[in-house]
Amino acid sequence: MSDKLIIFDTTLRDGEQSPGASMTREEKLRIARQLERLKVDVIEAGFAASSNGDFEAVKSIADTIKESTVCSLARANDRDIARAAEALKGARSARIHTFIATSELHMEKKLRMTREQVLEQARLAVRFARNLCDNIEFSPEDGYRSDPDFLCRVLEAVIEEGATTLNIPDTVGYAIPELYGNFIRSLRERVPNSDKAIWSVHCHNDLGMAVANSLAGVKLGGARQVECTINGLGERAGNCSLEEVVMAVKTRRDYFGLEVGIDASQIVPASRMVAQTTGFVVQPNKAVVGANAFAHASGIHQDGVLKARDTYEIMRAEDVGWSANKIVLGKLSGRNAFKQRLQDLGVALESEAEVNAAFVRFKDLADRKSEIFDEDIIALVADESVTQEQEHYRLLALSQSSETGERPHAAVTFSAGHEEFRAEADGNGPVDASLKAIESRLQTGAELLLYSVNAITSGSTESQGEVTVRLQLGGRVVNGVGADPDIVVASAKAYLAALNKLHSKAERVAAQG
């Protein structure tokens, strides 16, 4: 059995199913490049058949990424599979991932299909996909809650048709580690041709055990692929966390006896990029990538770490990409120094025009903020990532007044397409007044579900504020993220960013979990 554990990242597909976490093509491509730097084995770039936007995103990633296998999800039908194959045509290494539900509940209530119909559709789907691509993954959706006898029949059949990877999802996070590990092992023992495919695990975190279940599937079940996401991003309680799985296997190699090809020093940069792109802030006590993951407040702990680091640290912070908040650039820094720093941070911009635009934003920030940190640079590049064409709404100017005993007032100037508008409003505070001013002119009727503020850098009142706004309109839920040293300005940017996403007409269909 192979001693290599394949890391299959589905941040751009399953992670994007978090309400509000949808990303533009450019954002997906930027994250895909970071995943390639992280040396992820397989990048599930999206669900090509779900929308034209997702098709273009998968195609763009397939055409760009050279070191990782690029994968597209497809339901078990010819249309989805053909669409996936078309999007992946430019990939150096491609994979089609097709799925169909196999649990009694899903077959009866969702698919309204018999066992035999599901078996036949799974077989035909893999056969069709195998004619278009050599690398085929099959997933029985809700596999863990499926009847083992029927599941074995399906798995044996799809291997016969050419499936090279079998993924057994715990779609609803129902599994318990020991039971899930034994379930995978039992399937491998019972399916006659199980040795002809790589076995994979895909666990959700509804009971907080996605990582534990995945590792049990590896250790007890013999799986050699883990499907996971950066920061554990995903619908409901999220997916198995890539950084936790990778560092568990690396740190406890004595137990797992497996190698992973991941460049762990790129974990924290990947975490920051995904958090800043989606607006899903990483909790401070999150393992590996949380702000407090390597912090020691207890005097006893501090004393121990100072004397011998391994008294209280089982990993080195720098090994996963943590570094001190170091001042890297200032307002006198030139374009070449800025470009070099982008390269050092692993930020790849597509053109000189993008570099120039980001540099202009950097100089503007340096004029207002004396100390520029790596996080500031990452944030301003992320802010620049939305193209003018996609940015239907854009903040042009904002002024606000707030004093004790007086009702706060804001005046906002913004563009909508080629038109410029100015609006004013009062509010309970300057942020409230600013957002009400925008809404008073646009009258979108969007419902504000979430407003949160996060400091991009710590330890200074000059820190940039990163604001996340979540809006809902007509069944669509989107996040908007804005960053600026002025929280009110960041809030207006975030609100308009969310409205930009609502303005786009991309439609999605439900995917496998």
Side-chain angles (χ1 to χ4, degrees):
M1 187 179 297
S2 170
D3 62 355
K4 166 77 184 292
L5 183 64
I6 297 167
I7 301 299
F8 177 111
D9 182 275
T10 184
T11 303
L12 300 176
R13 200 279 299 170
D14 207 345
E16 196 193 23
Q17 289 177 213
S18 302
S22 60
M23 298 169 242
T24 65
R25 182 185 71 87
E26 288 76 13
E27 288 168 340
K28 279 193 164 192
L29 185 56
R30 183 169 286 108
I31 290 173
R33 286 195 179 108
Q34 177 58 33
L35 294 175
E36 185 177 36
R37 285 189 287 272
L38 184 61
K39 297 187 178 177
V40 162
D41 298 292
V42 184
I43 299 172
E44 189 164 49
F47 189 173
S50 68
S51 70
N52 290 333
D54 229 29
F55 175 87
E56 291 301 329
V58 174
K59 183 178 186 302
S60 180
I61 292 168
D63 291 345
T64 303
I65 298 302
K66 304 304 179 189
E67 301 303 321
S68 303
T69 295
V70 179
C71 175
S72 175
L73 188 70
R75 289 167 297 194
N77 64 62
D78 290 359
R79 176 191 170 276
D80 274 24
I81 293 168
R83 191 71 167 154
E86 185 181 355
L88 294 168
K89 199 173 294 184
R92 179 174 293 180
S93 174
R95 175 184 295 186
I96 294 175
H97 179 191
T98 188
F99 73 95
I100 190 170
T102 55
S103 69
E104 292 296 332
L105 181 62
H106 279 230
M107 288 189 293
E108 179 187 348
K109 302 296 184 184
K110 187 179 76 172
L111 299 179
R112 301 187 186 281
M113 294 172 66
T114 66
R115 287 187 173 195
E116 294 308 315
Q117 288 173 323
V118 167
L119 174 62
E120 183 64 11
Q121 188 158 330
R123 183 191 293 275
L124 292 175
V126 172
R127 182 185 301 171
F128 181 69
R130 193 66 174 78
N131 288 326
L132 301 174
C133 181
D134 291 337
N135 191 340
I136 305 299
E137 178 169 337
F138 175 79
S139 289
E141 186 183 6
D142 206 21
Y144 182 65
R145 295 195 298 174
S146 300
D147 173 62
D149 293 337
F150 175 62
L151 188 56
C152 286
R153 288 179 62 202
V154 172
L155 297 174
E156 181 181 359
V158 296
I159 293 173
E160 286 178 356
E161 297 295 346
T164 51
T165 299
L166 296 181
N167 176 53
I168 311 300
D170 177 25
T171 301
V172 294
Y174 184 68
I176 303 297
E178 183 180 4
L179 299 180
Y180 183 70
N182 289 336
F183 184 73
I184 302 296
R185 182 175 61 191
S186 173
L187 294 176
R188 289 182 58 242
E189 290 172 348
R190 293 181 59 188
V191 173
N193 49 4
S194 65
D195 60 326
K196 292 182 170 58
I198 293 169
W199 289 69
S200 173
V201 291
H202 178 121
C203 299
H204 282 257
N205 205 40
D206 297 71
L207 293 176
M209 291 186 282
V211 171
N213 287 333
S214 297
L215 292 174
V218 170
K219 182 64 177 178
L220 301 179
R224 286 299 176 263
Q225 175 177 283
V226 174
E227 307 200 355
C228 43
T229 63
I230 301 294
N231 299 337
L233 186 69
E235 58 190 331
R236 303 190 313 277
N239 286 276
C240 173
S241 166
L242 179 147
E243 58 275 5
E244 294 176 24
V245 164
V246 167
M247 293 315 295
V249 172
K250 279 179 171 285
T251 304
R252 294 306 309 272
R253 192 177 184 281
D254 60 312
Y255 176 73
F256 290 102
L258 296 170
E259 299 288 345
V260 287
I262 296 293
D263 178 358
S265 68
Q266 292 296 322
I267 285 176
V268 169
S271 170
R272 287 174 176 166
M273 184 179 290
V274 169
Q276 289 176 334
T277 300
T278 62
F280 281 71
V281 178
V282 176
Q283 67 195 59
N285 63 332
K286 170 78 165 64
V288 183
V289 295
N292 294 346
F294 295 90
H296 303 277
S298 162
I300 295 173
H301 285 213
Q302 290 171 345
D303 181 62
V305 168
L306 289 172
K307 289 175 178 174
R309 191 170 185 170
D310 56 0
T311 53
Y312 288 103
E313 288 189 359
I314 60 172
M315 301 172 281
R316 298 194 315 161
E318 55 267 35
D319 288 346
V320 297
W322 281 109
S323 61
N325 283 340
K326 172 182 151 189
I327 303 171
V328 291
L329 295 173
K331 66 180 181 180
L332 300 179
S333 300
R335 182 181 176 281
N336 286 339
F338 175 73
K339 189 174 180 180
Q340 181 60 48
R341 192 60 194 141
L342 288 178
Q343 186 175 329
D344 293 342
L345 290 170
V347 176
L349 298 180
E350 290 188 38
S351 65
E352 287 299 306
E354 284 191 349
V355 173
N356 291 337
F359 182 63
V360 169
R361 295 178 67 85
F362 160 73
K363 296 295 278 188
D364 176 62
L365 179 62
D367 283 336
R368 294 184 292 150
K369 187 176 184 291
S370 60
E371 299 180 341
I372 306 296
F373 297 93
D374 290 352
E375 292 87 347
D376 294 315
I377 295 172
I378 293 170
L380 71 86
V381 171
D383 208 19
E384 184 64 31
S385 66
V386 181
T387 65
Q388 294 292 330
E389 181 182 358
Q390 293 168 324
E391 203 169 22
H392 181 74
Y393 301 110
R394 185 179 180 85
L395 181 67
L396 301 177
L398 186 152
S399 64
Q400 55 85 17
S401 59
S402 180
E403 58 182 286
T404 305
E406 298 293 330
R407 190 160 171 78
H409 181 81
V412 183
T413 304
F414 60 93
S415 61
H418 299 295
E419 295 186 73
E420 185 175 309
F421 300 99
R422 188 176 189 277
E424 300 185 31
D426 293 335
N428 292 327
V431 170
D432 185 45
S434 300
L435 302 193
K436 281 180 175 175
I438 295 170
E439 187 60 29
S440 70
R441 186 64 184 82
L442 296 178
Q443 297 184 348
T444 65
E447 178 186 1
L448 180 64
L449 300 180
L450 172 73
Y451 173 87
S452 68
V453 180
N454 179 51
I456 291 176
T457 55
S458 59
S460 170
T461 55
E462 282 192 334
S463 175
Q464 277 202 95
E466 184 178 71
V467 174
T468 300
V469 168
R470 185 173 301 158
L471 299 180
Q472 177 176 272
L473 180 66
R476 291 191 67 195
V477 179
V478 298
N479 280 345
V481 182
D484 197 90
D486 186 328
I487 290 297
V488 182
V489 173
S491 301
K493 285 182 176 179
Y495 193 79
L496 290 170
L499 291 181
N500 276 321
K501 290 186 177 179
L502 286 175
H503 182 263
S504 71
K505 301 299 182 185
E507 295 180 353
R508 302 185 182 277
V509 297
Q512 170 257 351

